[in-house]
Amino acid sequence: MARVPKKHEGVKGLLDNLSEALVVLDPALEVLEWNSSMEHLTGVTRIDAVGRHAESVLPLFRDASLGPLVRRALAGETPETVELPHTTPGADRPIWLEARCVPWRDAEGQVAGAAAFFTDVSDPQRRALLLHAMEAIGQSLTSSLDLNEVLDTIVGKALEVMGAESAMVVLGDTAASEFRVMRAAGRLSQQYAAVGAIPIGGGPISVAVREGRTVATRNVLTDSKLWLAPARRADIEREGFKAAAAAPLAVKDRILGALVVHYWTERTFGSEETAALEFLAKQAAIAIRNASLYEAEHAEAARIRALTTVNRRISSALELDALLRTISESAAELTGARLATFWLADEQRRTLSFTSSSVAEMMATYSPTIMTYDQGGTGWVARHREPLIVDDMLGDERLVNRAWTERWGIRSFAGYPVLAGDELLAVMSLGHTEPLRFGKDKLDLIDLFLAQAAIAIQNARLFREAKRRRDVAEVLARLARELASTLEVEPIAKLLARGAAELVNARAAGVFLIEPEDGSLRAMAAYGSDADIMRELIFKSGEGAVGRAIVDRRIVTSADVLSDPAIQLAAWVRERIRSSGYRVVVGVPLLTHDRVIGALGLGADPGSTYSREELQTLEALADQASLAFENARLYASARDSLVRLGEKQVQLVQAAKMSALGQLVSGVAHELNNPLSVIVGYGQLLLAREVPTAVLRPIELMVSQADRMAKIVRNLLLFARQRPAERTTVNVNEVLEQTLALRINQLTVSGIAVEKKFARGLPPVMADPHQIEQVFLNLLLNAEQAMLEGKTGGRIVLNTTVSRDGRMVHAEVIDDGPGIPHDALPHVFEPFFSTKPVGSGTGLGLSVSYGIVEEHGGHLVVESRPGRTIFRLELPVAQTAAAQRAAPAGSPMIVTGEGRIALVVEDEASVLDLIVTILSQTGWRVDVATGGHEALQRVRRMRYDLIVSDIRMPDGDGEEFYRDATKGDPSLNQRFIFITGDTANREAFKFLREAGVLVVEKPFQPAFFLDAVRRVTT
């Protein structure tokens, strides 16, 4: 062991003469000595080193393997040597040092410190590493043909031999658009390595592959011999590496790619390093080629075994969905494609439906799932029935879903038709991240696979069809039994909805029946997972699939009810369907003989399709259910008819009596009008003359009582009149007065008092006065009869008011009779409903009244309790323009007939005499005729300035006379006046309305008759 001599100048000279770099440390690791070799090795002078802590002077002392050696030397031991990498300041590459430590003793032999010797062993170390790398790669060539293991060995040894901070193997040639990163190790970021590709350009890798030589650069970003695309430069700047070297992976005359090393500092590469990298690249190329060949052969053998397995699997599968999943997964295995999908063909509709894929996750977000033969590459294959290969889908105009393609990195496409003879069964589509290239052997394998798949699909179809027909037969038989077991509508609807949903596996099925009131379609029953939503839907005729089905009387289908322009939906219906899980809809009409009673509606998952056979089955089921509905309707009708037959028969007899009574009233009133006309007419003429006072009062009484009789007759005629509704402005108070006049005497005799509380200035309503009078008469009769049942007389209050907003006129008929029973109150407005004894009422009065009021836009309601019943009538006030009436014109104007001649046609002698007298007194010359035939002869011989005619006459009626007379002289229609008491006759009223001729109803006052003459002749 060396001993420390006394201080003298010779020690420094002795240490400097050592060829090894030496540093002496005290127990505190402060530097005691630092020879010139150490200065040269580290670049640190002795003056800067002595007295300082070793780790602050030389970071090498922080190395985990050097520290223990120093501590053992301080303990008096002489440990073994170690080799350490070291980079001196300013150097561009590391060197390898061999370090050994010994105790440093003082003059007494005590350990005073530790001496560390360092020797540069870089060249031997590099040669040893290279030998180890060759040995490891050689072992990989002989012991492993797994490509992943070979790639791991290559990049690991490149890091070790080249002292690199990262190493990478890329594959690709100049014909490709980018290099594929097969393996990366070292300092490269995960983001950089995960990209998986490097674009071909002018960097070290591209030049090395293109020129077939090793390319090294001190700084890849500043080297003027290289050029980088902006994106590539940005990637390198983000990573931070500078020096790089790339050696081509060459095998025979083919370059597979490159082996690349990176350094995060600038540095140069010596010839030995370049040779070492080239050697590694050459050995790596051989290993990669052998592993690739083995992997390809292994993959091919695996694919052949897979085809055998697939054939066995698909030959034994009979469920079509499971079969297609198996085929898709097997196709991906055989071809090596990332994704394989199967699209079933519908030759009739020329559509393709997605059915299965090898990667369910990828296709979960793909759309559309149904395509026509004109869409995409898959549609092209179906249309041309030929395979299609596309290397770059993103640049192909047939691309359907660009966003999905970019998301999953699919670049290439291959499509193959699956044919059975001339029939297209399906299209198999392959998607991959790289162009798909298949050799002849692989193509033959694909052809065999597709042929086997076609046979399997046909077998599965036949099996499914046989199973479907069996299931359909069982369901139809069961439904037939169940439908035949009930005659109630609701159970039939429930059976139909459940059977249809189960038959075609729908999400929901609903039975929609037509509402008689408004023709809308409402769900009677629904079944399935979305039954609650379907049960809420209401369709108008022509809306939705069910609405169109009842209009077209045929099955209506839609692949997407929300986007189909042929399907109209109300906004709220659209939102409800949107919240459901179904989009495919089917509407099947329910037909009974020549009548549509409703429709069967079904909703299915998006992409669902129904074959012609399935639709025909649904139609057969609907027909069977329609027959059951018709049987139920007939049964219900027969049952109701049987229950109510006796009651209705009595009511109809009573209604016939009322009709006959109306006709009798009409005839009697007509016969009374003629004598009343004479009484009123001559009475008015007498009052117009100077008569003695004693005679004047009797004449006035005679005329007033005749007017009263005329009013009663007129009201009877209004009651019996059958004519179309004729709306005009009506004062409700006046109508109530007229109606009350018909019953006031009978009410008085029955001891029933009538109190009138009419609002003054009551605004008019737009109504048919005769129909409103009929309503009031029915209400009065109803109140009268109810009170007579109590045998106590009583009081009726007639009340009219206006609503607060001024829009409605209210009229109330209030009686203090016994009231309507509580259980009968909801039914009082139903036809033929009556609380009276059989034979004492038709049960039609209130129902007819209710209908009349509703037609007028009003309401008729009832409130009742013992001792008080109120029928309240509400009618809308007439609009201002409609309510305007001509101002009263005062007394009728009279014109003289001097020099003019009139023809009077009347079969009643007394009436004829009255009219002749009135006309003669005003200067008219008058000719007379007793019938239409005689009058026509006179008209043809002479021109008259005025023609006054009755309607009903035995010798030719007034209508026939008018038509024949005006046919010969059309100008006569402006000179006709009809006088009649038969306005209750429907035909007569229709004629008078169409002719537009002035009508004077009997009985009449002479002054108003003369006013009519003035209006015709002036």
Side-chain angles (χ1 to χ4, degrees), residues 606-643:
S608 300
T609 58
Y610 291 117
S611 65
R612 180 187 300 175
E613 292 77 11
E614 288 174 319
L615 296 178
Q616 288 174 346
T617 301
L618 288 174
E619 190 171 30
L621 179 60
D623 290 342
Q624 196 168 20
S626 297
L627 181 60
F629 278 125
E630 182 67 9
N631 291 340
R633 185 188 68 82
L634 293 174
Y635 169 74
S637 176
R639 180 185 57 195
D640 293 344
S641 298
L642 185 63
V643 170

Side-chain angles (χ1 to χ4, degrees), residues 646-658:
E647 180 183 354
K648 286 186 177 180
Q649 186 174 8
V650 173
Q651 292 170 341
L652 289 173
V653 169
Q654 186 67 17
K657 289 179 181 179
M658 290 297 294

